Amino acid sequence: MKLNTIIDKKIEDIYNAKMIYWVALFFSVSFLIRLILFLAPIESLTTLQGDEYAYSSMAESILNGTGWHDYAGRASYLPPLLPIILFLNYSVFDVDYNSAKILMIILASFVAPTIFAVSKTLFPNKFWISFTAAIIVTLYPPSIYYSNMLLTENAASLFVPLILLSYLSTSKTNSLLLTVISGLLWGLASLNRPVFLMLPIFMLVSQMLLQLTFKNIHWKWKPTNWIIGIIVMLITISPWTIHNFIVHENFVPIHTASGYMMLICNGKLNHPDIQKGLFYYKDEHYQKTLNDNLSEIEKDGLAMEMALSEISENWRLLPKPILNRAKNFWSWRPDPYDTNFTLNDLVMALIYIPILIFFIFGLFKCNFQNSWPAIVIILYVFITILPFWGSPRFRFPVDSLIIMMASFGIISAISIIKNKSAELVKTNPK
């Protein structure tokens, strides 16, 4: 038996090993790397920053029995899942930010084994695609950095590959249990980041359009799967929606931040920051109009009304911000609005630019009828940022899927090079 055949057989045996081994391997390595950063004396990670404080303040208010509200007294401005997770952690370990960060590290450490499982399902018998994707995710700097912060990024980055894995597995088996799990994941992802609220509808419409276009696609759900999955999702978010109705006497599915987010991104379209694809919130008119005499729900509605009014009056100014939001979503720079080029920019350029190149190459080489669920989820997250501001931080939840498709592109490129080399050897023997 040739050496290459023996090696290929050994790799196949390793690849087909029980998933528990791969989960343990990639989880352990991911956890160790992220724990090293946790132990490093980096000031920005040892104290709460920005949104971390907001989420933690809501968890602490729940723990103290003062109600569901953040430091500004807003009951529904933040999505509830992360505060609930932090509340449960604080209930056991008191208000210990370090223990909460360890919990975030644990969540982040499951992304690599999950993307290995997704790759193994989407590209069966392609060991090096799964292995490459899991290794890159394990070593991916943004994943390591965010894992040490009390932010929605950690749960979101895990929910995305879990949603894809459950969708693929349900498609293969038509299992009622997996359908229910899919609906539960959709609901939890929405409670963590409201942007995912319309994801199942987007996937359903995409499946229908693709079936009309290609007639035969892989990974399709039956109507009963969609009905059950969406019902389970609605049941999952319903306790929070009911809570919001009781508090505000209005229908608020997830949060009351949509209006303000639209306002700071579109309320002054001629401002240079907004034209760059960023946001602007220091306008005095905003502060006077959205005064403290208004309720939380009234502020949200008025802010949305002001944003839509500005868009309708100055719609000609909107294309440039949208293009810049799109560009900044795909940027390698952690902060594409920073005028100073930093070491972080250089590191991410060396890492992300090749990933993006091979991702694009992979899109051209892959069988779209097979890979469409992953591509559709990436497309959904991209589209949903366009009304707001663009940043790699909003791309982060689907970075693992981008890395998976880039890994497919890498392995495809290597295969092409090997085949070309073999052809040259045959045509030009020594």
Side-chain angles (χ1 to χ4, degrees):
M1 186 179 291
K2 292 182 178 180
L3 180 60
N4 285 347
T5 305
I6 295 173
I7 293 174
D8 289 343
K9 181 65 170 62
K10 183 61 68 175
I11 289 174
E12 184 179 348
D13 292 340
I14 295 172
Y15 184 60
N16 291 325
K18 291 183 178 179
M19 184 55 65
I20 188 65
Y21 299 144
W22 291 110
V23 171
L25 172 64
F26 287 116
F27 174 83
S28 299
V29 176
S30 295
F31 183 81
L32 179 61
I33 292 172
R34 285 149 183 78
L35 187 63
I36 291 172
L37 182 64
F38 169 76
L39 297 173
I42 301 174
E43 184 178 354
S44 63
L45 296 177
T46 54
T47 57
L48 299 190
Q49 306 287 325
D51 290 344
E52 288 185 284
Y53 180 64
Y55 286 111
S56 183
S57 69
M58 176 172 275
E60 291 175 51
S61 73
I62 302 168
L63 183 66
N64 296 331
T66 57
W68 291 75
H69 59 79
D70 60 11
Y71 63 91
R74 299 167 300 193
S76 308
Y77 189 78
L78 299 173
L81 186 63
L82 180 55
I84 291 172
I85 292 173
L86 295 178
F87 160 72
L88 294 173
N89 184 85
Y90 294 161
S91 298
V92 177
F93 300 103
D94 205 358
V95 183
D96 181 357
Y97 300 144
N98 287 332
S99 67
K101 290 188 176 188
I102 292 293
L103 180 57
M104 295 296 103
I105 290 173
I106 291 172
L107 290 177
S109 298
F110 274 111
V111 177
T114 305
I115 203 64
F116 181 89
V118 171
S119 302
K120 191 173 181 180
T121 305
L122 202 59
F123 305 108
N125 304 317
K126 301 290 185 180
F127 169 78
W128 290 113
I129 296 175
S130 304
F131 186 79
T132 302
I135 285 293
I136 294 175
V137 169
T138 298
L139 302 175
Y140 193 51
S143 176
I144 298 171
Y145 179 73
Y146 284 127
S147 70
N148 277 263
M149 305 187 78
L150 307 184
L151 295 173
T152 60
E153 274 77 359
N154 293 302
S157 66
L158 179 58
F159 278 132
V160 165
L162 282 176
I163 285 171
L164 179 54
L165 181 61
S166 68
Y167 180 86
L168 299 177
S169 300
T170 302
S171 180
K172 284 177 65 176
T173 63
N174 199 33
S175 164
L176 175 61
L177 176 61
L178 289 174
T179 304
V180 171
I181 291 173
S182 295
L184 180 63
L185 289 171
W186 287 336
L188 292 175
S190 301
L191 292 172
N192 181 64
R193 274 198 170 184
V195 69
F196 289 108
L197 187 60
M198 296 302 294
L199 176 60
I201 302 301
F202 191 81
M203 294 186 70
L204 170 59
V205 172
S206 297
Q207 176 184 307
M208 294 170 64
L209 291 176
L210 289 171
Q211 284 180 291
L212 290 174
T213 303
F214 295 106
K215 304 300 182 184
N216 184 29
I217 61 170
H218 300 292
W219 318 116
K220 52 183 180 285
W221 276 21
K222 295 180 178 179
T224 51
N225 294 121
W226 285 111
I227 293 170
I228 293 171
I230 291 174
I231 289 175
V232 171
M233 175 191 175
L234 295 176
I235 292 172
T236 303
I237 68 173
S238 63
W240 181 248
T241 305
I242 293 170
H243 160 269
N244 289 339
F245 186 81
I246 293 171
V247 172
H248 305 293
E249 297 183 352
N250 277 275
F251 177 68
V252 181
I254 305 293
H255 69 160
T256 58
S258 300
Y260 185 68
M261 300 295 287
M262 281 289 289
L263 180 62
I264 64 174
C265 295
N266 303 281
K268 201 174 182 66
L269 287 173
N270 62 349
H271 193 277
D273 286 347
I274 292 181
Q275 285 294 303
K276 292 177 186 176
L278 190 57
F279 54 85
Y280 179 71
Y281 63 90
K282 297 180 180 179
D283 189 275
E284 290 185 5
H285 178 60
Y286 298 169
Q287 310 306 323
K288 290 179 181 178
T289 306
L290 304 177
N291 59 68
D292 291 336
N293 294 325
L294 298 176
S295 68
E296 184 178 337
I297 196 71
E298 288 172 334
K299 288 181 182 180
D300 183 54
L302 181 56
M304 181 65 77
E305 183 182 323
M306 291 165 65
L308 295 178
S309 175
E310 171 71 6
I311 291 172
S312 65
E313 292 176 9
N314 297 295
W315 59 269
R316 291 179 181 82
L317 298 175
L318 193 58
K320 185 177 178 181
I322 290 178
L323 288 174
N324 282 327
R325 292 165 191 171
K327 180 189 70 175
N328 293 330
F329 177 88
W330 293 102
S331 174
W332 76 87
R333 300 187 65 199
D335 183 0
Y337 306 101
D338 190 348
T339 54
N340 298 317
F341 193 87
T342 66
L343 178 61
N344 290 339
D345 293 321
L346 176 60
V347 171
M348 284 309 299
L350 295 174
I351 294 171
Y352 185 72
I353 291 176
I355 288 174
L356 185 58
I357 292 170
F358 282 110
F359 168 71
I360 295 170
F361 180 73
L363 291 180
F364 283 102
K365 294 299 294 181
C366 73
N367 179 353
F368 183 74
Q369 290 98 311
N370 179 68
S371 304
W372 75 266
I375 298 171
V376 161
I377 293 175
I378 295 169
L379 180 62
Y380 172 82
V381 172
F382 170 62
I383 291 173
T384 52
I385 66 98
L386 296 179
F388 308 101
W389 74 89
S391 168
R393 181 176 175 181
F394 298 130
R395 189 192 67 230
F396 178 70
V398 294
D399 269 349
S400 63
L401 304 191
I402 293 171
I403 289 169
M404 178 183 68
M405 295 305 299
S407 299
F408 174 83
I410 291 169
I411 302 307
S412 297
I414 292 173
S415 177
I416 291 171
I417 292 170
K418 286 174 64 176
N419 290 338
K420 292 292 184 182
S421 299
E423 289 177 9
L424 286 174
V425 169
K426 285 182 180 179
T427 54
N428 300 292
K430 290 185 179 180

